[in-house]
Every structure is written in structure tokens, then in C-alpha cells.
Amino acid sequence: MNDLCELVFEDDGETLVALLIGEIDLSNSGAIGDRIRERVANHSLGVVVDLTGLTFLDSSGLELLFDLRQRLESRRQHLDIRVPVESPVRRPLELVDLVPPSPPGIPAPVAALTGDVPA
Amino acid sequence: MGEALAPTVDHGALFRAAPNPYLILSPDLTIVGVNDAYLRATLTERDAIVGRGLFEVFPDNPDDESATGTANLAASLKRVLATGRADTMAVQKYDIPRPEGGFEERYWSPLNSPVLGRDGAVELIIHRVEDVTELIKLKQQGSAQEDEIYRRAQEIQAINEELRAANARLAELDQAKTDFFSNVSHEFRTPLTLLLGPIETMLANPGDLTAEQRDALELAHRNALRLLRHVNTLLDFTRIETGGLEPSLEPSDLAKLTREQAGAFESACAEAGLGLTIDCPGLTAPVLADPALWEKIVLNLVSNAFKFTHEGSIAVSLRERGDQLELVVRDTGVGIPESELPRLFERFHQVRGQPGRSQEGSGIGLALVKELVELHGGEVTVESVLHEGTTVRVSIPRIAAEAAVAPGSPSGDVHTHYVEEARRWVDDDPAAGHPDDARATVLVVDDNADMRDYLARLLSPHWRVRVAVDGQAALEIALDDPPDLIVSDVMMPRLDGIGLVAALRATPATRGIPTVLLTARAGEEATVEGLEAGADDYLAKPFSARELTARVRTHLELARQRAALAREHEARAAAERLADRLERLRAIDEVTPDLGDLDSLLRVMLDRIDEIVDAEAGVVALLGDPIRCISVGEDLPTSAFEGSVARAGRPLHVDAPESLCAVVGVPLQAQGQPIGELYVGRLEPRPFSDEEVQLLQIAAERVAIAVERAHLENGHHTAARPGALPEIPGMELAAQWRPRAGGGPGAGDFYEVVPQADGRVGLAIGDVAGTGLPAVELMTQLRSVLRAYATELESPAEVVNRLDRLVRSMTGTRLVTLLYALVDPREWTMRVANAGHLPPLVLTPDGGARLIEIPRGAPLGMSAGDRPEIELELAPGATMLLYTDGLLKRRGRPLDDGFDALERVAAGIGSDCEPDELCASIASQVLGDAPADEAAMLAVRLLPPPRELRLEVPAVPESLAGTRRALTQWLEAAGAGSGDVGALTLACGEAAANAVEHAYGPDDGTFELRAAADGEEVTVEVRDRGQWRAQRGEGRGRGLTLMKGLLDDVEVDAGDDGTTVVMRKRLAGVAGR
């Protein structure tokens, strides 16, 4: 994995939080996906992917997230994507419906881990 | 006597000893005489000044560029010489040279009066001055206190205003209730009237009906009439209440009217086994009365008697007694307890526990009788014995009418009367007359689409209407953007109406939204449930349009009143809190700044602050190397403070050392720049509350001002200067600010750069006349207001004129020159307005330098004057320099020399000079090492349109990031805002990734990226020499979706020899997304 993106994990035993800081494109999306998947324990309730520190995310990064969600769902685990309304990577996520469109001026509610992941 | 004394007086000695300062001038303004007071005041000797020119002796202080004393004096003397009349000058500030060097500041109020010769020509001028220096100084000190007193007086006035307004609202609320009654009654009348019409038509042809049908119809008819009666009674009331019921008095045969009305009860009484005696002999003359109202009086009294009499009889009699006419209705009914008698005529008061013939009774019959009788100038009395009976006496003045009884008295055609009135009400739709407050929003909730449309259609002429398909959707809308009122169905999927009401009431933001439920006829239980859940009202389906609009209108009005009241209470509470806080802060303001050095001043302030927030330790830490701490009270280990609070720029609760239990720090800031920190600590284990921290922040402002003040007095005023310049796409900026050599009081030279959301940028340069703290303070204030105006207003002339108004509104007005330009880096133009400032210097790309003349309006603070706004072109590559006159001033040299020097230096710099080089060159070559005065300059260069970007990139994933960087840099230079940069780099990244991934195998070949800007549109082209292939995978397949979603236009041209993707986007500016 190159140094475009830093990956920080926080694990409280129930939930894995992955903080992504930097940029994700074709050159590192595969490696990042692998590293997140390796860390998800069987007993985890799910994964929170925090994209607050991300400045670039292309469609290979979106594929990473779609793939992660699919894998987690097959194991009855949840994926929660956190991205602030003002983030530069919010728009691509909205365009492919990975996060709900944010009404202007109002922060989108972050889906709780136990709730439904917006489709 | 005067004449006798005259020869002994030495006029010369008198003049010399006169208490006010006097100076005698010849017409060429040579000093020919001076008295002792003047010499004392000016610290001069007579021998040294008599015989010399006035302005040679008293020049302006050359260090004070604002000094206008000599110019004003010269002008006044010139007027005296020209007109031969005395001339009073406004208060002037003079800089009097001290014998030991330097100048002393004096404020004088001078009067110049001529001494005329025989020919009427001015021979001498007497210059008399009054020294008002002390007065002016006192005034300057006093104004701060006056301001505080004034502010508090304003607050008290505001609170009183609120109280008055609250009382008025309560009265309105009362009125709203009466209106509500009136509306509701009207709403009942129409349907009732429409109900009675068809029933009566059918009953008129009984042959068509079976006996059963006729019985049913008669039952309906009776009850509809009864309801109509109640409604009418209510209406009469509201009309009396609003003064709308005026008796129309006419000569009436009241005996006949009484007989007819009482007679109507004959059959009812017979059926009930009651006797009815009517004793109403003909009267001697007709009486002035309102026949319709009299009928109501009789009807009400007799029906009341009938209702409460189970056996025995009812007697009605009418008699003339002197000048009174007396109606008596006596029954043998249940009677009224004595205790209830006094309240009998109160509205809505029904005697409790009395077995009536029916449960009906609005409780207003007797009260109405009383009102109606009083309308006739009469009175009502009641006597009653429990279980024996009641006697009601009505007496009205017997005013005989001359005329005979008018024909066609209304007694015969009550029905016609009703119909007429009903028609009037039907036509008088209140909604038609005055459209409702169009801004109110009504949310209609119904899962039935037809019903939803119908409701929206009914309500939309009056209000803004939103719709929701069920309770859940309505709740989401209400939480997002609360409507003013909700009309909701009860039965709905997901969340029904009851649940919706309960959810609304459970959330503070939606608690107050009035909610009207629509219930089906069978839904009575639901209705009760809904009202219990907190619905304000309900309407049973089917309902009429007017019924609905009337309810909505009434509840909107009630909600408005409630909200207004709540706001009043809140405002009052806030005002009280504010007053309390001000009271406490005054203790800090009372610390006078003349305590000597800054440290002692800060210690006194810290003591006061500790008192206010109930603390035992206080520290002011001033940033610097090293950080300097001033502390009072308990020991706070000062080594712990390393500027973290100042860096955070907000209050922080700090880990307390062992000796203390709670420590909080707030930053000290001057003009938004951190200058230090204020800490307080407490021995008690109680954290500082938000309120206390807020107080502390306000106190910190006072401390920061004290620190700044001390620094200014010592000649350090760099904190008052602008910070780093912003980066603006499409232009380069540079600025310099230079204090005068050797320190001394600061002047008010400043510049300001205000980026706009649309990519334009406001540039200001200005100069506040004068020096020292007042000038610097005014400058700081102006800069912050300028930033606000420049952000808000489109027009530079408007910005300048607003600032002018501000300066003129301030006491102790000073003159300010200001040039404000709004520069558009994409169009290479700017709009400029100039308030008395120097012309900008422009260096053209060909190496020329010239001043551009901009119509120079009056300086700020002088007059409202015309300050035209003009548009100028600023060629790409040209550099514009804005500057203050400190750049031009040379001791003893005219300003023009300065202009020449500036142009010469600028022209020598050459064509391709960066703004920062320009500023540096001018600073070193024009100002030199020891500038005579403070100077500010601001240079801007608009960049030429970026050339085309062309990249040849290896088609490997690792080159994508570098490509993005290059494109980002180019886009910013082309003037793209962050939103556009984000969209274009992502879209190009998709095209490039596709080239990398699918066009070639690993490590094979390159792809080409080209970008060009045309006006506000950017075109980027990504070309490879491989095959375009649709992307695989769920996310990757969305690459094209992303590109199309982000850009205005995407074309993919996949040919045999490669693929070209052309992407276009119109730039939206930095605010775009």
C-alpha cells in the first residue's frame, strides 16, 4: 500500500472503527479494502468507516465500500459510513446512493449501527 | 464717571493683564501684540514672537498629519480680512511647540475679530482664544460612562416596552376567544339552515311520506330548530359583546307580541300537564321597543320556566306600572337556591344539581335576557323559593310612541328573517374579504390521495400547503421544517393521526404546532383519544370548506398569540439576565487605566474578576518568548500555561493542580489574534458554569483591551495590523505596513482584503486622520465593519457610503480616506469607489507606470457627498498598487515630489514584477530605513489566463495522484473554486483510471490529459490509445454515473485507435459544490 492514505483502527471489541485519512484511488483501494476486511472479527457487530479525513475518493473506493457492505451483510454485520456534509467526498457517495442526499444546510443523520444502512 | 477715570488707565497694561489669551495681528498676519495669558498658554516669550509671522511662530506639528489647525486658522483670518466681520472658529486642536522641544496638544476655541480703520478697511485683527483643553479631555473621559448609562436606560425602556406589549397580547387573546365563538356559531348556522330547508320542503308535502318517515323528519326538524336557537343565542351574545347588536326601537304592541310568544307554549304545556295563564291586556299606547328582541326575552323566560317546572303552572303577565312596563313570568318549578341567585345572570352559569326537563341549556338564556333588557334601558329581578317556584320580573321604561304600530311586525315571519340572515352570512365569507396571512404553512396529512388533494385545494387559497402521505412522513417534515398548523386524518398506515399528535407533543420543536384531526362519524373514540393525546381540535367528516378554513384560521391565530406571548416572556428573561451581567461586569470597567504600569492594572482587574466568578486564583499569561504571567490569589503553577488555550481560541477547562479544584482558561485576543490567556482557579470542588465562563470571556475582552492599550502607549501596535493575506485564485496579492521610524504613537493607516463567495475580492486601503489610540481604535473598528459590509453589499459605493454614515454618527468625528475596489479576476475588471483617497498606481505589462484617476469623493466623516462608483478594466498581468500618503511624505517636501519618486521607482521595476517584489522595492527605495510616517500598501496582480494544461502520463495507478495535483493547481489558477476543483479532479480521475486499468496491460504506454479554460467553462480531455471497456464491479460500473453526475457534459468517443473522453464544466465559483 502506498502512502496516499493512512488507515487507523479503533476496536472496542464490538465495533471496528476504521478512520481513513488522505486519498483513495485505483492505486491503493485494493490494499485498503484488504486491510479493513482482515481486521473485522467474527463477533463484531459491524464496521464504522469514518471518511471525515478523506479528501479524494474515486469509483474504485466506492467499489471497496460496496464490496465491504456486501461481505458484512452476508455475515449479518452492519456497515456505517460516516462522512460530514461538507466533506469533498460526500458528493460521489450520494451520487451512488451509499449515503442519503443531505438537505442543504442540515447534517444528514448518521445511521446508527443497529439501524438500517441506507441503501 | 468713566470719562473721569479714563486718563489714569494704562490700556497697554490692561491688555497685557487680560485673563483670556489675546493676540493682535496686522493684515499681513504679523504678530504686533500679545498679552501675558497668550504667552503663558503658548509657552512663549513676548520678545521671541512679536514682529514675526504668525505661522512662522506657530506651525503645525509636522509629526501629526491630521493637524489642520494652521489651515483652519488661515482660512478664518482670510475671511475676516475679506468681509471685515468677526469669525468664530470651531474648536481647534493646536500643537504648541515646547521650549524644550516637542509639542503640547491644546484644544482652543478661537474668535477672530477685525479692528476697522476710518475707511472701513481692516487695520488689525484681534485673535482671542478660549482654552477648552480640560473640557475636551473631561468629555472624552466622560463619554464612556455616558454610553453605559445611556445603554442601560435603553434596556429599561425596552423591558417596559415588552411589558406593555405583553399586556396588549393578553387583551388580543381575549378578543381572539370572542372571535372564535362568533366564527364557530356562524359556521353552525349555515349547515343548519341548509339542513332545515329540505326538511321543511319534504314536510310541506306529507302525502308523499309514510308515517314513519314523517315522524323521523319531524324529529330531525325539531332538533335542528333547537340547535339553531342555541346557535342564535350564542351569536346574539357575541354581537352584544362586540357592540354589534343595536336595538332597532320602533312603536310596538308588546302585549300582542307577548301573547303570541307565550301562546306558542300552550300545546307543550298541555302535553306536560302544566297550566299556562297568559294575562296581557291591550296597552294604552304602543311602546318604543325592538320587537325581535322582545320576542327573545319572552321566549327565553317562558322556555326556562317550562324547563324547570314539572307540575303546577306557569303564569305570564304584562302590566303598565307608572312609567314602567312590567313583564312577570311566574312558575311553580324547582326554584333556585338562594346562594345561586346572585350569579344567575352570569354567562355560562347553570345552576348545578337542578333537575331540568331536559339536559339542554347553554347556561346563557338568563344572561342574554338581562343583556337584552338592558339594551332597552330596563332591568330584571328574580325571586325564588326552592321547591316552590320562581318569579322573574322584567321592567322597561314605557316610552309612548306617537305613531301607530308599524305594519308587518316581524313576529309572523321568523323563518324569512332567518333565511335572510343566513344568506347574508353565506355571502359574508370572511376568507373572501381578507386573504389570510399567506406566509403561514399548513401541512395536510392523509393517506387517501383524493382526500389529500381535496384538502390541499380547500386550504391553498388561504395558506401555503404542504402534504404528507402518512403520519410518519408528516413527522419527518415537521421535524425538518415545522409547519404552522397540521390537518391530519386519524386512520393511516405506519403512523396514525393519534400517534402523530403524540410524537409531535413529545418533541420540544414541534410541541406547539396546532393540530386539527379529521375524524369519521364512527370515530368518536378516536376523537377522544386524539384530544387526550394533545390534538387542538377535531372535525368530523363530512365537513364544509368554510368549517375547515374557519377552524384552521382560528387555531393559527391562537397559536400566533401564544407564540408571541412566549417570546415576550423569553425576551424579558433575557433582558434581565443581561442587565444582571452588565451590573457585575461594571466592577471591571471601574478599574481606571491610570494605575501606573500594566502589571498593577492587571492585578487589580484579576482581583475583580475573581470576585465576579467566585474564584480564588487568577493569572494573565501574555504570549511572547517567554510567556509572561501576572497572577493574584492562590498559587497557580504558571509553568503549566503554554499557550494551549490561546491556540485553541476558546475556553478550556484545565487540569487543576493539587491545591485547586477547578481551573478554567479563556483566550485573550486583539483583532482576532491571540495575545494571551486568562485563567481563574477555585478552591471549592465545583466546576465553572457556562454562565461563569461566558462572564469570563467578556472580562477577557476588557483585559485584552487594557493590554492593547498599554502596548499602544508604548508604541507596539503590530497586533492591530492585518494578518496573512488570503490566497485568491486568479490573482497575486502582496501588502506591507510600516510603522514610522523610531516608534511613537500609531497612526490609522490600513488595508483590508475581503474575498467574496463568487470569486471576486474586495480590496480596501484607508487612512484615519490623526495618531495615537483614538485613531488606531477607530481604524480597527472601521476595518471590522468594512469586512462585514464588503461581504454583504454588492456595490463599492454603497460600502463606502455606509462607512461614511458610521463615521459621521460617531462623536469626536475624524476624517478617514478610503478607496474600496471590488476586483473580478475572471473578467479582469474592478468597480471602485473613492472617499478622498490617493489614486492607485498601475504598472502595465509593458513596463509603464501611471496613476489612474478615480473620481475623488469626500472623505468619510465629512459629508454625505457624492462618491461615484466606476468600473475600470485591469489588464491581465497588470499590477495595481494601493497605498497611503505615508509613502509620499517627506519632511518639508511637497506631496508631488513623493508621487514623482513613486512613479520613478515603479517604472524602474520593469514589466514582469510580482506584487511582493513591488512592495519590497517600494519599501526599500521610497520609504527607506526611516519612514517619516506610517505607511500601508497593497498590491494586486491579475494573472493572465492560464495556458492550456497538457500532460503525458504513464498509464499506471501510481501516476493518478500526481495527475490530480497538477490538474488541481491548474484549475485553481484558472479561477475554479473548491467545489469545481473537486468535481473535475474526480471525473478526470475516473477517465484516467479507466485508461490505466483497461486500455493497456501493466506498465505499458501512456495517456494524455489536456485541459483548457474558455471564459467560465473548463474542458478536460483524457485520451488513450487503447480500447474503452465498460467497467466491472458494482462500484466501478458507476464511474460514468459519477462523471455525468458531477459535470455538465461528458462525451466518450471510443474508436479503434483509442478512446477520448471529453468533459466540460461551467465554473460555479468557490461557493459552488
Side-chain angles (χ1 to χ4, degrees):
Chain A
M1 198 175 99
N2 58 34
D3 55 3
L4 268 183
C5 183
E6 196 186 334
L7 186 49
V8 180
F9 290 107
E10 289 171 10
D11 196 344
D12 66 358
E14 284 199 334
T15 308
L16 177 71
V17 179
L19 295 127
L20 298 169
I21 303 141
E23 300 169 86
I24 298 182
D25 65 13
L26 192 59
S27 70
N28 61 357
S29 55
I32 288 172
D34 290 343
R35 283 192 52 195
I36 297 175
R37 282 191 294 274
E38 283 165 15
R39 287 293 296 260
V40 185
N42 269 330
H43 59 266
S44 274
L45 283 178
V47 179
V48 177
V49 178
D50 189 332
L51 306 181
T52 308
L54 217 52
T55 56
F56 186 84
L57 175 73
D58 74 354
S59 60
S60 73
L62 298 176
E63 187 182 27
L64 178 170
L65 294 171
F66 275 113
D67 174 68
L68 184 61
R69 188 172 73 178
Q70 202 183 359
R71 282 166 193 263
L72 290 172
E73 274 174 359
S74 66
R75 288 156 60 171
R76 305 255 165 214
Q77 292 170 322
H78 288 290
L79 173 67
D80 179 14
I81 297 170
R82 291 196 186 164
V83 59
V85 169
E86 62 277 10
S87 163
V89 306
R90 172 108 198 166
R91 185 96 173 103
L93 291 165
E94 287 176 8
L95 282 173
V96 299
D97 291 334
L98 266 171
V99 298
S102 38
I106 297 184
V110 177
L113 262 185
T114 48
D116 292 336
V117 176
Chain B
M1 229 170 105
E3 272 176 336
L5 207 59
T8 66
V9 175
D10 178 352
H11 285 98
L14 258 182
F15 168 70
R16 281 192 297 278
N20 268 340
Y22 282 97
L23 197 64
I24 312 294
L25 300 168
S26 65
D28 65 353
L29 307 185
T30 303
I31 299 172
V32 295
V34 60
N35 74 342
D36 298 344
Y38 197 95
L39 293 172
R40 274 196 306 276
T42 57
L43 312 166
T44 47
E45 301 285 337
R46 182 170 283 108
D47 291 343
I49 67 167
V50 171
R52 292 175 62 197
L54 173 64
F55 296 118
E56 185 192 339
V57 179
F58 300 113
D60 266 342
N61 178 355
D63 289 339
D64 183 351
E65 65 178 52
S66 71
T68 51
T70 58
N72 292 346
L73 178 54
S76 171
L77 293 169
K78 216 163 149 188
R79 278 195 294 275
V80 174
L81 287 168
T83 63
R85 281 206 291 273
D87 188 76
T88 309
M89 295 171 64
V91 173
Q92 302 289 313
K93 180 174 152 259
Y94 288 105
D95 297 307
I96 309 296
R98 292 199 191 95
E100 69 272 20
F103 289 82
E104 187 173 343
E105 199 177 273
R106 309 294 298 178
Y107 289 92
W108 282 358
S109 166
L111 168 73
N112 297 312
S113 39
V115 178
L116 302 179
R118 286 175 199 285
D119 55 354
V122 177
E123 281 189 355
L124 291 170
I125 299 175
I126 302 173
H127 174 65
R128 192 207 71 181
V129 300
E130 208 168 320
D131 193 326
V132 292
T133 308
E134 296 312 311
L135 191 71
I136 296 277
K137 287 194 170 154
L138 273 176
K139 232 176 144 177
Q140 283 170 350
Q141 282 174 9
S143 66
Q145 282 160 19
E146 277 170 29
D147 285 353
E148 179 67 20
I149 290 167
Y150 175 74
R151 215 168 59 222
R152 294 181 63 83
Q154 293 280 306
E155 278 166 22
I156 290 167
Q157 206 179 341
I159 292 170
N160 283 338
E161 203 60 47
E162 281 158 18
L163 281 171
R164 255 200 302 284
N167 285 335
R169 294 285 192 290
L170 283 171
E172 267 183 57
L173 203 55
D174 212 31
Q175 180 62 38
K177 263 189 225 158
T178 305
D179 292 348
F180 175 67
F181 254 129
S182 174
N183 282 340
V184 169
S185 311
H186 277 275
E187 297 310 318
F188 282 143
R189 282 210 53 162
T190 317
L192 274 172
T193 309
L194 299 177
L195 191 67
L196 278 167
I199 294 176
E200 279 163 4
T201 312
M202 286 165 88
L203 283 175
N205 301 301
D208 302 345
L209 301 168
T210 64
E212 260 176 35
Q213 283 170 332
R214 201 178 59 239
D215 284 352
L217 276 177
E218 277 171 352
L219 182 69
H221 188 227
R222 267 199 310 281
N223 283 287
L225 279 177
R226 182 190 281 171
L227 191 51
L228 188 59
R229 216 162 49 233
H230 291 319
V231 170
N232 286 345
T233 311
L234 269 174
L235 263 179
D236 286 338
F237 247 122
T238 53
R239 277 194 291 161
I240 291 171
E241 182 94 326
T242 54
L245 188 64
E246 287 285 327
S248 75
L249 301 179
E250 58 187 70
S252 312
D253 183 350
L254 294 189
K256 179 167 173 269
L257 279 178
T258 309
R259 277 198 301 273
E260 283 172 4
Q261 292 303 315
F265 285 84
E266 256 167 13
S267 61
C269 286
E271 274 176 35
L274 296 176
L276 176 68
T277 52
I278 300 169
D279 177 18
C280 301
L283 303 177
T284 54
V287 175
L288 266 189
D290 184 322
L293 299 187
W294 184 258
E295 278 179 12
K296 284 195 169 105
I297 293 170
V298 176
L299 265 173
N300 267 292
L301 290 178
V302 178
S303 71
N304 226 39
F306 179 75
K307 210 158 75 181
F308 293 102
T309 305
H310 300 281
E311 50 191 51
S313 62
I314 297 168
V316 179
S317 70
L318 189 72
R319 285 284 184 282
E320 290 169 320
R321 297 203 186 278
D323 57 353
Q324 298 282 317
L325 189 65
E326 189 183 67
L327 169 72
V328 178
V329 179
R330 189 192 309 269
D331 65 50
T332 58
V334 293
I336 300 160
E338 203 171 333
S339 60
E340 295 279 358
L341 280 176
R343 299 190 61 198
L344 203 57
F345 295 114
E346 275 177 32
R347 223 177 295 171
F348 308 115
H349 181 81
Q350 239 189 329
V351 178
R352 299 209 177 274
Q354 294 305 299
R357 188 170 296 283
S358 71
Q359 287 305 312
E360 80 170 55
S362 52
I364 63 174
L366 278 177
L368 177 64
V369 166
K370 179 166 181 275
E371 305 263 5
L372 294 177
V373 170
E374 283 170 356
L375 280 175
H376 285 88
E379 56 179 32
V380 190
T381 56
V382 180
E383 297 153 22
S384 183
V385 178
L386 203 55
H387 309 306
E388 286 184 15
T390 304
T391 304
V392 182
R393 276 172 220 281
V394 169
S395 61
I396 64 168
R398 192 160 65 90
I399 303 166
E402 301 302 324
V405 175
S409 99
S411 61
D413 45 18
V414 173
H415 182 73
T416 320
H417 182 66
Y418 278 161
V419 170
E420 270 173 13
E421 210 165 342
R423 187 174 303 135
R424 211 164 68 228
W425 281 318
V426 172
D427 293 340
D428 181 28
D429 184 347
H434 38 88
D436 294 273
D437 176 14
R439 301 279 67 82
T441 302
V442 177
L443 176 60
V444 169
V445 193
D446 203 313
D447 57 325
N448 177 326
D450 289 342
M451 191 65 192
R452 207 160 57 224
D453 290 348
Y454 171 68
L455 289 169
R457 212 166 50 239
L458 289 184
L459 296 171
S460 55
H462 309 297
W463 300 283
R464 262 189 315 164
V465 176
R466 298 182 70 184
V467 294
V469 295
D470 58 32
Q472 186 59 39
L475 186 59
E476 279 157 21
I477 290 176
L479 289 171
D480 178 33
D481 180 16
D484 297 291
L485 183 137
I486 295 176
V487 175
S488 172
D489 190 20
V490 173
M491 302 285 287
M492 287 180 295
R494 290 215 294 173
L495 181 64
D496 65 12
I498 311 292
L500 172 63
V501 171
L504 289 170
R505 296 298 175 255
T507 308
T510 57
R511 187 167 293 153
I513 302 177
T515 306
V516 178
L517 290 180
L518 306 176
T519 63
R521 186 176 290 276
E524 264 182 38
E525 276 172 31
T527 302
V528 173
E529 208 184 323
L531 292 176
E532 277 173 357
D536 295 81
D537 202 352
Y538 68 93
L539 263 179
K541 294 178 197 169
F543 47 81
S544 77
R546 291 200 312 115
E547 219 170 335
L548 179 66
T549 52
R551 297 288 180 94
V552 169
R553 183 174 303 113
T554 306
H555 284 290
L556 279 174
E557 175 61 15
L558 286 172
R560 195 185 65 78
Q561 312 267 4
R562 274 199 302 269
L565 266 179
R567 274 198 305 276
E568 301 295 345
H569 284 300
E570 206 161 295
R572 201 179 325 160
E576 276 161 12
R577 280 199 303 275
L578 179 71
D580 177 57
R581 183 180 299 180
L582 280 170
E583 191 65 44
R584 299 176 72 181
L585 280 169
R586 209 155 53 162
I588 304 179
D589 288 338
E590 278 164 1
V591 179
T592 49
D594 46 340
L595 273 168
D597 64 314
L598 177 62
D599 289 16
S600 353
L601 173 66
L602 290 179
R603 270 191 281 275
V604 176
M605 291 182 104
L606 280 171
D607 280 335
R608 302 274 168 98
I609 291 169
D610 277 355
E611 265 172 50
I612 291 173
V613 298
D614 206 8
E616 285 81 23
V619 175
V620 168
L622 296 175
L623 295 186
D625 194 17
I627 291 177
R628 198 162 70 85
C629 291
I630 298 99
S631 56
V632 298
E634 295 292 322
D635 207 24
L636 263 173
T638 50
S639 60
F641 311 134
E642 287 165 345
S644 54
V645 172
R647 276 194 301 276
R650 62 186 172 81
L652 290 179
H653 292 270
V654 184
D655 287 339
E658 279 173 21
S659 53
L660 292 164
C661 289
V663 177
V664 67
V666 297
L668 300 176
Q669 295 179 330
Q671 277 79 47
Q673 301 294 317
I675 60 167
E677 302 166 334
L678 166 66
Y679 292 93
V680 290
R682 185 179 274 166
L683 290 170
E684 241 181 291
R686 177 164 58 91
F688 288 93
S689 69
D690 288 350
E691 174 82 15
E692 283 165 336
V693 172
Q694 271 176 23
L695 279 172
L696 206 56
Q697 281 176 291
I698 299 172
E701 285 170 22
R702 308 292 210 273
V703 173
I705 289 171
V707 172
E708 270 299 281
R709 208 180 265 269
H711 283 176
L712 282 167
E713 279 158 10
N714 295 329
H716 308 301
H717 35 28
T718 42
R721 299 302 152 184
L725 292 171
E727 298 262 342
I728 316 265
M731 65 169 69
E732 290 171 345
L733 284 169
Q736 285 227 351
W737 175 83
R738 299 277 297 253
R740 86 175 61 185
D749 294 22
F750 67 95
Y751 62 83
E752 197 61 58
V753 178
V754 189
Q756 313 281 310
D758 61 2
R760 291 188 291 177
V761 61
L763 303 177
I765 188 103
D767 188 354
V768 177
T771 55
L773 193 60
V776 175
E777 277 179 348
L778 176 57
M779 173 199 74
T780 332
Q781 189 180 358
L782 277 179
R783 279 179 50 211
S784 71
V785 177
L786 170 72
R787 280 196 296 273
Y789 282 158
T791 312
E792 230 171 67
L793 300 172
E794 278 280 311
S795 145
E798 181 79 350
V799 170
V800 169
N801 287 332
R802 292 272 189 103
L803 287 167
D804 172 54
R805 253 175 282 163
L806 173 73
V807 174
R808 276 189 290 125
S809 72
M810 293 191 284
T811 50
T813 297
R814 288 167 174 272
L815 292 190
V816 180
T817 66
L818 173 75
L819 184 140
Y820 178 69
L822 187 58
V823 179
D824 188 333
R826 293 214 201 114
E827 304 285 330
W828 298 294
T829 57
M830 62 176 181
R831 305 190 63 80
V832 198
N834 186 4
H837 202 81
L838 298 167
L841 181 75
V842 169
L843 285 76
T844 45
D846 59 14
R850 63 188 169 83
L851 295 168
I852 46 173
E853 275 311 324
I854 291 165
R856 203 193 293 201
L860 308 183
M862 192 144 105
S863 66
D866 192 25
R867 299 184 185 90
E869 174 178 320
I870 58 164
E871 180 162 315
L872 292 172
E873 294 201 353
L874 200 55
T879 303
M880 176 171 71
L881 178 75
L882 307 174
Y883 53 91
T884 60
D885 63 357
L887 213 58
L888 308 173
K889 273 197 208 160
R890 297 289 167 283
R891 207 175 284 270
R893 302 258 298 277
L895 214 56
D896 279 349
D897 283 8
F899 277 124
D900 292 344
L902 184 62
E903 277 178 303
R904 209 168 42 246
V905 170
I909 289 172
S911 58
D912 192 35
C913 114
E914 306 282 331
D916 49 354
E917 280 175 39
L918 175 70
C919 286
S921 301
I922 288 177
S924 66
Q925 295 178 42
V926 180
L927 284 177
D929 294 333
D933 200 353
E934 190 173 291
M937 59 185 133
L938 175 60
V940 57
R941 180 157 78 155
L942 298 190
L943 299 174
R947 292 182 203 96
E948 203 184 61
L949 175 73
R950 199 184 272 258
L951 298 171
E952 181 90 15
V953 187
V956 292
E958 282 65 35
S959 57
L960 292 173
T963 309
R964 281 202 299 278
R965 308 259 185 282
L967 183 61
T968 301
Q969 215 165 26
W970 182 86
L971 284 168
E972 279 172 357
S978 61
D980 289 332
V981 171
L984 279 159
T985 47
L986 178 54
C988 292
E990 293 300 325
N994 197 71
V996 168
E997 203 177 15
H998 300 292
Y1000 307 100
D1003 298 327
D1004 181 18
T1006 60
F1007 67 90
E1008 190 181 83
L1009 183 144
R1010 282 185 356 190
D1014 175 19
E1016 291 183 352
E1017 191 178 72
V1018 168
T1019 307
V1020 189
E1021 201 179 293
V1022 174
R1023 180 195 295 270
D1024 64 46
R1025 280 175 291 279
Q1027 296 287 321
W1028 172 273
R1029 268 176 272 165
Q1031 291 160 320
R1032 294 183 303 263
E1034 197 181 357
R1036 300 301 323 278
R1038 287 179 167 91
L1040 201 57
T1041 315
L1042 280 188
M1043 289 157 74
K1044 288 187 168 159
L1046 293 164
L1047 303 180
D1048 298 330
D1049 184 34
V1050 179
E1051 289 168 30
V1052 179
D1053 177 18
D1056 291 339
D1057 54 345
T1059 303
T1060 305
V1061 184
V1062 182
M1063 295 161 279
R1064 290 192 185 84
K1065 181 156 190 3
R1066 176 167 283 276
L1067 298 185
V1070 289
R1073 178 172 154 152

